[in-house]
Amino acid sequence: MLSFENTEIAFRYKSNGDLSRARMLFSAIASPGLVTVGKTLTYFALKMHLPIAWAIKPTLYKHFVGGETLAECEKTVMLLSNYKVKSILDYSVEGGKDQESMQRTMEETIKSVINAARHPEIPFSVFKPTAFASQEVLTLASENGEMTAETANAIQFFKDCVEKLSRTAFENDIPIMIDAEDSWYQPFVDEVVTVMMEKYNKEKAIVYNTLQMYRTDRLDFLKDSLRKAEEGNYFLGIKFVRGAYMEKERLRASEKGYASPIQPDKDATDKNYDAGLAFTLDHLDRISVFNGSHNENSNRLLTELIDKHGLARNEPKIWFSQLYGMSDHISFNLADEGYNVTKYIPYGPVRNILPYLIRRAEENTSIAGQTGRELALLEQERIRRKKN
Ligand SMILES: Cc1cc2nc3c(=O)[nH]c(=O)nc-3n(C[C@H](O)[C@H](O)[C@H](O)COP(=O)(O)OP(=O)(O)OC[C@H]3O[C@@H](n4cnc5c(N)ncnc54)[C@H](O)[C@@H]3O)c2cc1C
């Protein structure tokens, strides 16, 4: 059975200094009180335009982010590649506001697609829907509500961005993934992404949609997507994640009085996730799969499914991925065993990356066992190095 316990493999890219910084960081974010206070202070500082980079950059940012620019990420990309772990550089700007900043994000994202296509260590490109439209606009489009000319323009801008990015990915032969965010504007994102798949996935999966398996409807959606792909004779690219916005989803559902779209408990999410993986492996002739998870069982399950189907460990249609700064024990042990592994590395200016960093801090506080696991592994490696 595949083991994720080998901390020498997991952390060999980290110096002793990196290791102790990581331990300090995870100890700090293990405290919910500290994270809540930190979050409030950070939003206050942002609102007041106070400088915050000095506090964030050497700590959270250094641990979870590749740098401010593509060029700054290069060192990390090459470091990981020494251990057969590839990289995905994600220009992490979310919550698109004014047209000008969205246009700048678009230009940077195009650069990241081309950079990936030219770089042997970067096998995918990626973007977030809210980089190119506000949540309000995407929600209106999803609800087919009444629209002003301004909203219609914003929707067209979003469609044009997705089309341009997908076409650039296709022309440069590099897969592109579209992240998933909140369920209430996902219908429109799904619609646009499906059109891109029909257009650009005729020979193989270039465009990937993201399925958040904490949603109760996603397994049916997956089956329906496969049916459409078979009818339309194109390939599906699916990035599986559990989903990062559970609390927000439940809160909105209860405030607005509709049934929560989220699985009732963690166990149900886990089962749904694993069912999605199993379904995909049964249909690998038409689906390519990207497993974005820090869950040891789901990662192990995928390795078992690879065996069960008699596939090579480095089957090109199957990728594993974890976020940079998390679950190195999974990424580096899988890569060492010959599986296709990437780290998702966000990059961008400190201010723009803050929502991502706050999510990582909260996630590592709220998920039972997650921080404990990171800390225990880091400690285990410290002791091992001391003995040698
Ligand atoms: C490479 C990569 C890309 C990602 N991209 C996206 C993205 O595009 N969109 C996105 O939303 N997230 C994304 N995420 C984050 C992801 O959705 C999860 O939040 C995160 O990875 C934790 O889930 P896990 O599978 O790693 O494992 P675990 O730690 O085992 O699972 C935690 C997750 O389980 C679910 N869960 C926890 N408690 C409950 C409960 N009581 N009831 C129901 N469900 C519960 C939640 O989804 C929670 O995040 C990405 C993660 C990775 C690694």
Side-chain angles (χ1 to χ4, degrees):
M1 200 208 235
L2 175 72
S3 163
F4 297 123
E5 301 303 312
N6 189 323
T7 58
E8 182 178 1
I9 291 176
F11 298 118
R12 60 188 169 186
Y13 80 103
K14 283 199 187 296
S15 67
N16 289 344
D18 293 339
L19 213 59
S20 67
R21 261 193 303 278
R23 279 175 49 237
M24 268 156 53
L25 184 78
F26 278 105
S27 305
I29 60 182
S31 151
L34 198 66
V35 170
T36 310
V37 172
K39 182 178 166 183
T40 313
L41 284 177
T42 306
Y43 279 129
F44 176 75
L46 262 182
K47 221 171 161 186
M48 305 306 287
H49 297 281
L50 299 173
I52 38 171
W54 64 271
I56 305 282
K57 218 161 173 194
T59 53
L60 276 178
Y61 186 94
K62 188 172 191 311
H63 187 83
F64 290 110
V65 182
E68 300 223 2
T69 60
L70 285 169
E72 273 184 38
C73 294
E74 185 60 15
K75 214 170 131 199
T76 305
V77 173
M78 293 321 290
L79 176 66
L80 302 186
S81 78
N82 289 336
Y83 307 100
K84 296 182 273 185
V85 172
K86 304 221 179 230
S87 299
I88 299 173
L89 301 184
D90 175 16
Y91 187 57
S92 267
V93 170
E94 33 195 281
K97 285 184 196 109
D98 58 287
Q99 197 76 10
E100 211 179 298
S101 72
M102 287 194 273
Q103 189 58 45
R104 275 199 304 274
T105 301
M106 176 63 192
E107 279 150 26
E108 180 60 37
T109 311
I110 290 277
K111 271 194 213 159
S112 79
V113 176
I114 290 167
N115 182 60
R118 291 184 184 151
H119 203 308
E121 299 303 330
I122 308 182
F124 289 87
S125 53
V126 64
F127 69 90
K128 267 198 171 37
T130 54
F132 306 117
S134 68
Q135 300 187 5
E136 293 72 27
V137 163
L138 293 173
T139 306
L140 261 175
S142 293
E143 290 168 349
N144 290 317
E146 285 254 328
M147 260 173 236
T148 60
E150 200 186 336
T151 309
N153 281 342
I155 291 172
Q156 193 55 47
F157 177 80
F158 176 81
K159 284 185 175 172
D160 291 346
C161 287
V162 179
E163 164 68 38
K164 186 157 185 218
L165 286 163
S166 303
R167 186 168 12 98
T168 306
F170 173 77
E171 286 169 357
N172 289 277
D173 196 20
I174 183 85
I176 189 158
M177 294 185 292
I178 294 95
D179 283 355
E181 298 172 89
D182 300 319
S183 66
W184 55 94
Y185 50 79
Q186 190 64 31
F188 178 62
V189 176
D190 288 337
E191 197 184 303
V192 176
V193 175
T194 302
V195 173
M196 294 300 105
M197 288 204 198
E198 282 165 12
K199 201 163 170 187
Y200 294 115
N201 288 7
K202 287 279 180 212
E203 283 168 22
K204 61 178 176 183
I206 286 283
V207 178
Y208 281 61
N209 201 2
T210 299
L211 301 198
Q212 297 161 312
M213 300 308 283
Y214 65 7
R215 286 183 53 177
T216 49
D217 65 350
R218 291 293 92 172
L219 200 54
D220 286 340
F221 178 84
L222 173 64
K223 292 175 184 169
D224 198 45
S225 300
L226 176 63
R227 187 187 50 74
K228 281 190 188 141
E230 280 169 349
E231 281 170 14
N233 199 22
Y234 60 92
F235 292 89
L236 276 187
I238 299 290
K239 171 181 142 194
F240 284 106
V241 298
R242 276 181 169 71
Y245 311 95
M246 181 176 75
E247 281 88 6
K248 207 168 141 194
E249 290 280 356
R250 286 188 172 144
L251 185 68
R252 185 178 192 267
S254 80
E255 278 174 2
K256 294 202 173 246
Y258 59 86
S260 166
I262 306 299
Q263 296 285 353
D265 52 38
K266 173 78 164 67
D267 192 44
T269 295
D270 291 348
K271 287 203 173 91
N272 202 41
Y273 190 96
D274 292 348
L277 287 182
F279 179 84
T280 302
L281 270 273
D282 285 339
H283 298 91
L284 210 63
D285 54 329
R286 203 163 280 281
I287 315 182
S288 293
V289 56
F290 184 94
N291 178 43
S293 175
H294 303 138
N295 184 293
E296 290 174 11
N297 292 337
S298 295
N299 280 291
R300 193 174 288 112
L301 172 71
L302 186 51
T303 66
E304 288 164 2
L305 289 168
I306 288 174
D307 280 350
K308 183 182 143 196
H309 288 269
L311 301 165
R313 287 184 172 187
N314 63 349
E315 158 62 48
K317 287 184 174 176
I318 304 177
W319 283 84
F320 296 77
S321 186
Q322 289 75 43
L323 303 179
Y324 181 60
M326 286 173 75
S327 294
D328 285 342
H329 66 303
I330 297 179
S331 314
F332 287 85
N333 280 299
L334 280 171
D336 194 63
E337 292 285 338
Y339 296 97
N340 295 324
V341 181
T342 63
K343 280 288 197 192
Y344 222 72
I345 310 178
Y347 76 97
V350 182
R351 273 178 177 268
N352 297 348
I353 294 243
L354 279 175
Y356 177 87
L357 289 177
I358 288 169
R359 264 207 311 287
R360 293 293 78 80
E362 285 184 331
E363 184 176 82
N364 280 288
T365 294
S366 66
I367 295 173
Q370 175 83 19
T371 308
R373 184 178 70 176
E374 295 283 355
L375 270 174
L377 291 163
L378 289 161
E379 181 61 8
Q380 190 182 319
E381 177 58 7
R382 187 187 69 83
I383 293 168
R384 193 200 63 78
R385 286 190 191 179
K386 218 171 156 195
K387 277 194 196 146
N388 291 322

mmCIF file of all heavy atoms in Angstrom, residues 36-76:
data_model
loop_
_atom_site.group_PDB
_atom_site.id
_atom_site.type_symbol
_atom_site.label_atom_id
_atom_site.label_comp_id
_atom_site.label_asym_id
_atom_site.label_seq_id
_atom_site.Cartn_x
_atom_site.Cartn_y
_atom_site.Cartn_z
ATOM 1 N N THR A 36 -8.654 34.755 13.436
ATOM 2 C CA THR A 36 -9.773 35.709 13.366
ATOM 3 C C THR A 36 -9.268 37.134 13.566
ATOM 4 O O THR A 36 -9.625 38.048 12.807
ATOM 5 C CB THR A 36 -10.834 35.369 14.447
ATOM 6 O OG1 THR A 36 -11.120 33.980 14.334
ATOM 7 C CG2 THR A 36 -12.101 36.162 14.263
ATOM 8 N N VAL A 37 -8.401 37.324 14.568
ATOM 9 C CA VAL A 37 -7.861 38.664 14.820
ATOM 10 C C VAL A 37 -7.025 39.107 13.612
ATOM 11 O O VAL A 37 -7.154 40.237 13.114
ATOM 12 C CB VAL A 37 -7.003 38.671 16.116
ATOM 13 C CG1 VAL A 37 -6.286 39.999 16.282
ATOM 14 C CG2 VAL A 37 -7.869 38.389 17.327
ATOM 15 N N GLY A 38 -6.198 38.197 13.101
ATOM 16 C CA GLY A 38 -5.341 38.511 11.948
ATOM 17 C C GLY A 38 -6.173 38.931 10.753
ATOM 18 O O GLY A 38 -5.864 39.907 10.073
ATOM 19 N N LYS A 39 -7.284 38.212 10.533
ATOM 20 C CA LYS A 39 -8.149 38.509 9.389
ATOM 21 C C LYS A 39 -8.767 39.907 9.528
ATOM 22 O O LYS A 39 -8.743 40.714 8.603
ATOM 23 C CB LYS A 39 -9.255 37.445 9.336
ATOM 24 C CG LYS A 39 -10.197 37.581 8.181
ATOM 25 C CD LYS A 39 -11.209 36.444 8.222
ATOM 26 C CE LYS A 39 -12.374 36.705 7.293
ATOM 27 N NZ LYS A 39 -13.386 35.655 7.364
ATOM 28 N N THR A 40 -9.266 40.200 10.737
ATOM 29 C CA THR A 40 -9.890 41.508 10.965
ATOM 30 C C THR A 40 -8.865 42.624 10.768
ATOM 31 O O THR A 40 -9.127 43.620 10.079
ATOM 32 C CB THR A 40 -10.455 41.562 12.412
ATOM 33 O OG1 THR A 40 -11.173 40.348 12.626
ATOM 34 C CG2 THR A 40 -11.364 42.731 12.625
ATOM 35 N N LEU A 41 -7.681 42.434 11.344
ATOM 36 C CA LEU A 41 -6.633 43.462 11.218
ATOM 37 C C LEU A 41 -6.239 43.654 9.758
ATOM 38 O O LEU A 41 -6.043 44.777 9.295
ATOM 39 C CB LEU A 41 -5.388 43.051 12.025
ATOM 40 C CG LEU A 41 -5.486 43.233 13.539
ATOM 41 C CD1 LEU A 41 -4.213 42.721 14.211
ATOM 42 C CD2 LEU A 41 -5.702 44.714 13.883
ATOM 43 N N THR A 42 -6.143 42.537 9.029
ATOM 44 C CA THR A 42 -5.725 42.628 7.633
ATOM 45 C C THR A 42 -6.751 43.398 6.815
ATOM 46 O O THR A 42 -6.396 44.287 6.028
ATOM 47 C CB THR A 42 -5.545 41.203 7.054
ATOM 48 O OG1 THR A 42 -4.663 40.498 7.907
ATOM 49 C CG2 THR A 42 -4.979 41.245 5.671
ATOM 50 N N TYR A 43 -8.056 43.085 6.998
ATOM 51 C CA TYR A 43 -9.075 43.797 6.232
ATOM 52 C C TYR A 43 -9.101 45.284 6.598
ATOM 53 O O TYR A 43 -9.270 46.149 5.743
ATOM 54 C CB TYR A 43 -10.457 43.160 6.432
ATOM 55 C CG TYR A 43 -10.637 41.930 5.554
ATOM 56 C CD1 TYR A 43 -11.062 40.722 6.070
ATOM 57 C CD2 TYR A 43 -10.358 41.990 4.186
ATOM 58 C CE1 TYR A 43 -11.209 39.603 5.254
ATOM 59 C CE2 TYR A 43 -10.499 40.880 3.368
ATOM 60 C CZ TYR A 43 -10.931 39.690 3.913
ATOM 61 O OH TYR A 43 -11.074 38.601 3.103
ATOM 62 N N PHE A 44 -8.876 45.559 7.891
ATOM 63 C CA PHE A 44 -8.840 46.947 8.340
ATOM 64 C C PHE A 44 -7.673 47.675 7.649
ATOM 65 O O PHE A 44 -7.845 48.752 7.075
ATOM 66 C CB PHE A 44 -8.681 46.987 9.868
ATOM 67 C CG PHE A 44 -8.543 48.373 10.421
ATOM 68 C CD1 PHE A 44 -9.649 49.212 10.509
ATOM 69 C CD2 PHE A 44 -7.295 48.844 10.840
ATOM 70 C CE1 PHE A 44 -9.515 50.502 10.995
ATOM 71 C CE2 PHE A 44 -7.155 50.133 11.327
ATOM 72 C CZ PHE A 44 -8.266 50.968 11.405
ATOM 73 N N ALA A 45 -6.502 47.031 7.672
ATOM 74 C CA ALA A 45 -5.311 47.644 7.070
ATOM 75 C C ALA A 45 -5.531 47.880 5.574
ATOM 76 O O ALA A 45 -5.159 48.921 5.028
ATOM 77 C CB ALA A 45 -4.095 46.757 7.306
ATOM 78 N N LEU A 46 -6.187 46.925 4.931
ATOM 79 C CA LEU A 46 -6.453 47.050 3.490
ATOM 80 C C LEU A 46 -7.359 48.249 3.218
ATOM 81 O O LEU A 46 -7.105 49.046 2.320
ATOM 82 C CB LEU A 46 -7.175 45.790 3.003
ATOM 83 C CG LEU A 46 -6.347 44.706 2.331
ATOM 84 C CD1 LEU A 46 -7.251 43.572 1.886
ATOM 85 C CD2 LEU A 46 -5.571 45.247 1.135
ATOM 86 N N LYS A 47 -8.419 48.328 4.024
ATOM 87 C CA LYS A 47 -9.406 49.393 3.846
ATOM 88 C C LYS A 47 -8.771 50.765 4.047
ATOM 89 O O LYS A 47 -9.065 51.717 3.337
ATOM 90 C CB LYS A 47 -10.536 49.183 4.857
ATOM 91 C CG LYS A 47 -11.881 49.447 4.271
ATOM 92 C CD LYS A 47 -12.977 49.036 5.197
ATOM 93 C CE LYS A 47 -14.245 49.744 4.763
ATOM 94 N NZ LYS A 47 -15.327 49.514 5.679
ATOM 95 N N MET A 48 -7.893 50.842 5.033
ATOM 96 C CA MET A 48 -7.256 52.118 5.354
ATOM 97 C C MET A 48 -6.013 52.361 4.501
ATOM 98 O O MET A 48 -5.281 53.319 4.729
ATOM 99 C CB MET A 48 -6.845 52.143 6.841
ATOM 100 C CG MET A 48 -7.960 51.865 7.837
ATOM 101 S SD MET A 48 -9.375 52.939 7.623
ATOM 102 C CE MET A 48 -8.730 54.470 8.259
ATOM 103 N N HIS A 49 -5.752 51.462 3.572
ATOM 104 C CA HIS A 49 -4.555 51.554 2.724
ATOM 105 C C HIS A 49 -3.264 51.600 3.537
ATOM 106 O O HIS A 49 -2.320 52.316 3.215
ATOM 107 C CB HIS A 49 -4.647 52.754 1.766
ATOM 108 C CG HIS A 49 -5.788 52.627 0.814
ATOM 109 N ND1 HIS A 49 -5.743 51.831 -0.305
ATOM 110 C CD2 HIS A 49 -7.035 53.137 0.845
ATOM 111 C CE1 HIS A 49 -6.904 51.871 -0.926
ATOM 112 N NE2 HIS A 49 -7.709 52.655 -0.242
ATOM 113 N N LEU A 50 -3.262 50.861 4.634
ATOM 114 C CA LEU A 50 -2.041 50.786 5.453
ATOM 115 C C LEU A 50 -1.107 49.729 4.841
ATOM 116 O O LEU A 50 -1.582 48.766 4.246
ATOM 117 C CB LEU A 50 -2.390 50.370 6.888
ATOM 118 C CG LEU A 50 -3.312 51.309 7.653
ATOM 119 C CD1 LEU A 50 -3.704 50.697 8.994
ATOM 120 C CD2 LEU A 50 -2.613 52.652 7.877
ATOM 121 N N PRO A 51 0.180 49.915 4.999
ATOM 122 C CA PRO A 51 1.083 48.900 4.443
ATOM 123 C C PRO A 51 0.976 47.601 5.252
ATOM 124 O O PRO A 51 1.027 47.628 6.476
ATOM 125 C CB PRO A 51 2.466 49.536 4.599
ATOM 126 C CG PRO A 51 2.311 50.577 5.647
ATOM 127 C CD PRO A 51 0.874 51.000 5.675
ATOM 128 N N ILE A 52 0.782 46.487 4.576
ATOM 129 C CA ILE A 52 0.676 45.216 5.295
ATOM 130 C C ILE A 52 1.685 44.192 4.779
ATOM 131 O O ILE A 52 1.911 43.165 5.394
ATOM 132 C CB ILE A 52 -0.743 44.600 5.190
ATOM 133 C CG1 ILE A 52 -1.295 44.845 3.799
ATOM 134 C CG2 ILE A 52 -1.669 45.095 6.253
ATOM 135 C CD1 ILE A 52 -2.558 44.104 3.538
ATOM 136 N N ALA A 53 2.311 44.541 3.649
ATOM 137 C CA ALA A 53 3.209 43.571 3.007
ATOM 138 C C ALA A 53 4.328 43.130 3.955
ATOM 139 O O ALA A 53 4.707 41.962 3.966
ATOM 140 C CB ALA A 53 3.794 44.177 1.746
ATOM 141 N N TRP A 54 4.824 44.070 4.785
ATOM 142 C CA TRP A 54 5.954 43.743 5.671
ATOM 143 C C TRP A 54 5.619 42.591 6.614
ATOM 144 O O TRP A 54 6.476 41.790 6.967
ATOM 145 C CB TRP A 54 6.389 44.979 6.475
ATOM 146 C CG TRP A 54 5.315 45.470 7.411
ATOM 147 C CD1 TRP A 54 4.334 46.373 7.124
ATOM 148 C CD2 TRP A 54 5.075 45.037 8.758
ATOM 149 N NE1 TRP A 54 3.504 46.531 8.194
ATOM 150 C CE2 TRP A 54 3.931 45.736 9.215
ATOM 151 C CE3 TRP A 54 5.715 44.146 9.618
ATOM 152 C CZ2 TRP A 54 3.409 45.556 10.493
ATOM 153 C CZ3 TRP A 54 5.188 43.971 10.895
ATOM 154 C CH2 TRP A 54 4.056 44.664 11.318
ATOM 155 N N ALA A 55 4.339 42.472 7.004
ATOM 156 C CA ALA A 55 3.957 41.402 7.935
ATOM 157 C C ALA A 55 3.630 40.109 7.202
ATOM 158 O O ALA A 55 3.921 39.019 7.667
ATOM 159 C CB ALA A 55 2.750 41.849 8.756
ATOM 160 N N ILE A 56 3.003 40.263 6.051
ATOM 161 C CA ILE A 56 2.487 39.090 5.330
ATOM 162 C C ILE A 56 3.570 38.420 4.493
ATOM 163 O O ILE A 56 3.635 37.197 4.389
ATOM 164 C CB ILE A 56 1.318 39.527 4.398
ATOM 165 C CG1 ILE A 56 0.238 40.255 5.173
ATOM 166 C CG2 ILE A 56 0.757 38.341 3.620
ATOM 167 C CD1 ILE A 56 -0.703 39.410 5.970
ATOM 168 N N LYS A 57 4.442 39.247 3.881
ATOM 169 C CA LYS A 57 5.351 38.697 2.870
ATOM 170 C C LYS A 57 6.334 37.649 3.409
ATOM 171 O O LYS A 57 6.477 36.584 2.807
ATOM 172 C CB LYS A 57 6.085 39.828 2.142
ATOM 173 C CG LYS A 57 6.210 39.461 0.687
ATOM 174 C CD LYS A 57 6.485 40.545 -0.259
ATOM 175 C CE LYS A 57 6.740 39.845 -1.602
ATOM 176 N NZ LYS A 57 7.331 40.673 -2.582
ATOM 177 N N PRO A 58 6.991 37.915 4.536
ATOM 178 C CA PRO A 58 7.943 36.887 4.991
ATOM 179 C C PRO A 58 7.267 35.697 5.671
ATOM 180 O O PRO A 58 7.951 34.730 6.005
ATOM 181 C CB PRO A 58 8.820 37.643 6.004
ATOM 182 C CG PRO A 58 8.093 38.872 6.351
ATOM 183 C CD PRO A 58 6.994 39.098 5.389
ATOM 184 N N THR A 59 5.970 35.744 5.886
ATOM 185 C CA THR A 59 5.302 34.664 6.639
ATOM 186 C C THR A 59 4.358 33.874 5.723
ATOM 187 O O THR A 59 4.797 33.007 4.972
ATOM 188 C CB THR A 59 4.554 35.269 7.844
ATOM 189 O OG1 THR A 59 3.684 36.317 7.367
ATOM 190 C CG2 THR A 59 5.508 35.851 8.869
ATOM 191 N N LEU A 60 3.052 34.219 5.787
ATOM 192 C CA LEU A 60 2.043 33.485 5.005
ATOM 193 C C LEU A 60 2.374 33.474 3.515
ATOM 194 O O LEU A 60 2.321 32.439 2.857
ATOM 195 C CB LEU A 60 0.676 34.167 5.171
ATOM 196 C CG LEU A 60 -0.179 33.819 6.380
ATOM 197 C CD1 LEU A 60 -1.456 34.646 6.349
ATOM 198 C CD2 LEU A 60 -0.534 32.330 6.392
ATOM 199 N N TYR A 61 2.719 34.654 2.988
ATOM 200 C CA TYR A 61 2.965 34.794 1.551
ATOM 201 C C TYR A 61 4.115 33.896 1.106
ATOM 202 O O TYR A 61 4.011 33.149 0.142
ATOM 203 C CB TYR A 61 3.261 36.264 1.253
ATOM 204 C CG TYR A 61 3.394 36.599 -0.223
ATOM 205 C CD1 TYR A 61 2.293 37.063 -0.945
ATOM 206 C CD2 TYR A 61 4.619 36.491 -0.884
ATOM 207 C CE1 TYR A 61 2.404 37.397 -2.289
ATOM 208 C CE2 TYR A 61 4.732 36.823 -2.221
ATOM 209 C CZ TYR A 61 3.621 37.277 -2.921
ATOM 210 O OH TYR A 61 3.742 37.595 -4.251
ATOM 211 N N LYS A 62 5.218 33.946 1.848
ATOM 212 C CA LYS A 62 6.404 33.160 1.461
ATOM 213 C C LYS A 62 6.077 31.661 1.462
ATOM 214 O O LYS A 62 6.567 30.904 0.631
ATOM 215 C CB LYS A 62 7.545 33.455 2.446
ATOM 216 C CG LYS A 62 8.876 32.856 2.036
ATOM 217 C CD LYS A 62 9.965 33.379 2.968
ATOM 218 C CE LYS A 62 11.377 33.080 2.545
ATOM 219 N NZ LYS A 62 11.735 31.773 2.177
ATOM 220 N N HIS A 63 5.230 31.262 2.387
ATOM 221 C CA HIS A 63 4.936 29.832 2.501
ATOM 222 C C HIS A 63 3.976 29.335 1.417
ATOM 223 O O HIS A 63 4.121 28.219 0.929
ATOM 224 C CB HIS A 63 4.355 29.521 3.887
ATOM 225 C CG HIS A 63 4.180 28.056 4.117
ATOM 226 N ND1 HIS A 63 5.210 27.245 4.543
ATOM 227 C CD2 HIS A 63 3.112 27.236 3.930
ATOM 228 C CE1 HIS A 63 4.778 25.997 4.609
ATOM 229 N NE2 HIS A 63 3.510 25.966 4.251
ATOM 230 N N PHE A 64 2.977 30.162 1.070
ATOM 231 C CA PHE A 64 1.906 29.680 0.189
ATOM 232 C C PHE A 64 1.954 30.238 -1.232
ATOM 233 O O PHE A 64 1.143 29.847 -2.071
ATOM 234 C CB PHE A 64 0.532 30.039 0.776
ATOM 235 C CG PHE A 64 0.171 29.253 2.022
ATOM 236 C CD1 PHE A 64 0.113 29.863 3.268
ATOM 237 C CD2 PHE A 64 -0.123 27.899 1.943
ATOM 238 C CE1 PHE A 64 -0.233 29.142 4.411
ATOM 239 C CE2 PHE A 64 -0.466 27.174 3.069
ATOM 240 C CZ PHE A 64 -0.519 27.783 4.303
ATOM 241 N N VAL A 65 2.846 31.203 -1.517
ATOM 242 C CA VAL A 65 2.805 31.911 -2.795
ATOM 243 C C VAL A 65 4.169 31.823 -3.487
ATOM 244 O O VAL A 65 5.209 31.818 -2.823
ATOM 245 C CB VAL A 65 2.413 33.405 -2.553
ATOM 246 C CG1 VAL A 65 2.312 34.165 -3.859
ATOM 247 C CG2 VAL A 65 1.103 33.491 -1.780
ATOM 248 N N GLY A 66 4.147 31.778 -4.821
ATOM 249 C CA GLY A 66 5.392 31.630 -5.578
ATOM 250 C C GLY A 66 6.162 32.929 -5.747
ATOM 251 O O GLY A 66 7.387 32.924 -5.862
ATOM 252 N N GLY A 67 5.462 34.059 -5.779
ATOM 253 C CA GLY A 67 6.121 35.345 -5.977
ATOM 254 C C GLY A 67 5.124 36.326 -6.575
ATOM 255 O O GLY A 67 3.949 36.006 -6.739
ATOM 256 N N GLU A 68 5.631 37.530 -6.921
ATOM 257 C CA GLU A 68 4.706 38.536 -7.460
ATOM 258 C C GLU A 68 4.506 38.361 -8.957
ATOM 259 O O GLU A 68 3.493 38.767 -9.510
ATOM 260 C CB GLU A 68 5.249 39.944 -7.165
ATOM 261 C CG GLU A 68 5.392 40.195 -5.674
ATOM 262 C CD GLU A 68 4.924 41.560 -5.248
ATOM 263 O OE1 GLU A 68 4.443 42.333 -6.079
ATOM 264 O OE2 GLU A 68 5.039 41.850 -4.044
ATOM 265 N N THR A 69 5.523 37.798 -9.631
ATOM 266 C CA THR A 69 5.467 37.686 -11.094
ATOM 267 C C THR A 69 5.822 36.255 -11.516
ATOM 268 O O THR A 69 6.355 35.478 -10.712
ATOM 269 C CB THR A 69 6.495 38.630 -11.740
ATOM 270 O OG1 THR A 69 7.795 38.227 -11.258
ATOM 271 C CG2 THR A 69 6.272 40.079 -11.388
ATOM 272 N N LEU A 70 5.575 35.984 -12.800
ATOM 273 C CA LEU A 70 5.952 34.659 -13.333
ATOM 274 C C LEU A 70 7.450 34.438 -13.141
ATOM 275 O O LEU A 70 7.884 33.355 -12.734
ATOM 276 C CB LEU A 70 5.615 34.582 -14.825
ATOM 277 C CG LEU A 70 4.138 34.430 -15.189
ATOM 278 C CD1 LEU A 70 3.932 34.630 -16.681
ATOM 279 C CD2 LEU A 70 3.598 33.074 -14.752
ATOM 280 N N ALA A 71 8.237 35.470 -13.421
ATOM 281 C CA ALA A 71 9.699 35.329 -13.315
ATOM 282 C C ALA A 71 10.108 35.003 -11.876
ATOM 283 O O ALA A 71 10.992 34.166 -11.647
ATOM 284 C CB ALA A 71 10.384 36.612 -13.793
ATOM 285 N N GLU A 72 9.434 35.629 -10.919
ATOM 286 C CA GLU A 72 9.789 35.359 -9.514
ATOM 287 C C GLU A 72 9.462 33.929 -9.085
ATOM 288 O O GLU A 72 10.019 33.426 -8.120
ATOM 289 C CB GLU A 72 9.033 36.337 -8.594
ATOM 290 C CG GLU A 72 9.771 37.654 -8.405
ATOM 291 C CD GLU A 72 9.052 38.574 -7.418
ATOM 292 O OE1 GLU A 72 8.505 38.104 -6.403
ATOM 293 O OE2 GLU A 72 9.034 39.778 -7.699
ATOM 294 N N CYS A 73 8.527 33.299 -9.796
ATOM 295 C CA CYS A 73 8.137 31.920 -9.426
ATOM 296 C C CYS A 73 9.122 30.881 -9.961
ATOM 297 O O CYS A 73 9.088 29.714 -9.551
ATOM 298 C CB CYS A 73 6.755 31.589 -9.991
ATOM 299 S SG CYS A 73 5.443 32.563 -9.274
ATOM 300 N N GLU A 74 9.964 31.307 -10.895
ATOM 301 C CA GLU A 74 10.808 30.344 -11.620
ATOM 302 C C GLU A 74 11.691 29.508 -10.678
ATOM 303 O O GLU A 74 11.870 28.307 -10.879
ATOM 304 C CB GLU A 74 11.645 31.113 -12.655
ATOM 305 C CG GLU A 74 12.476 30.267 -13.579
ATOM 306 C CD GLU A 74 11.681 29.279 -14.440
ATOM 307 O OE1 GLU A 74 10.452 29.404 -14.565
ATOM 308 O OE2 GLU A 74 12.321 28.339 -14.961
ATOM 309 N N LYS A 75 12.217 30.176 -9.652
ATOM 310 C CA LYS A 75 13.098 29.469 -8.716
ATOM 311 C C LYS A 75 12.342 28.307 -8.044
ATOM 312 O O LYS A 75 12.856 27.193 -7.946
ATOM 313 C CB LYS A 75 13.562 30.470 -7.644
ATOM 314 C CG LYS A 75 14.960 30.228 -7.163
ATOM 315 C CD LYS A 75 15.419 31.379 -6.301
ATOM 316 C CE LYS A 75 16.008 30.804 -5.030
ATOM 317 N NZ LYS A 75 16.097 31.755 -3.945
ATOM 318 N N THR A 76 11.128 28.585 -7.633
ATOM 319 C CA THR A 76 10.316 27.543 -6.971
ATOM 320 C C THR A 76 9.987 26.420 -7.957
ATOM 321 O O THR A 76 10.084 25.236 -7.623
ATOM 322 C CB THR A 76 9.002 28.160 -6.428
ATOM 323 O OG1 THR A 76 9.348 29.256 -5.593
ATOM 324 C CG2 THR A 76 8.190 27.160 -5.646
#
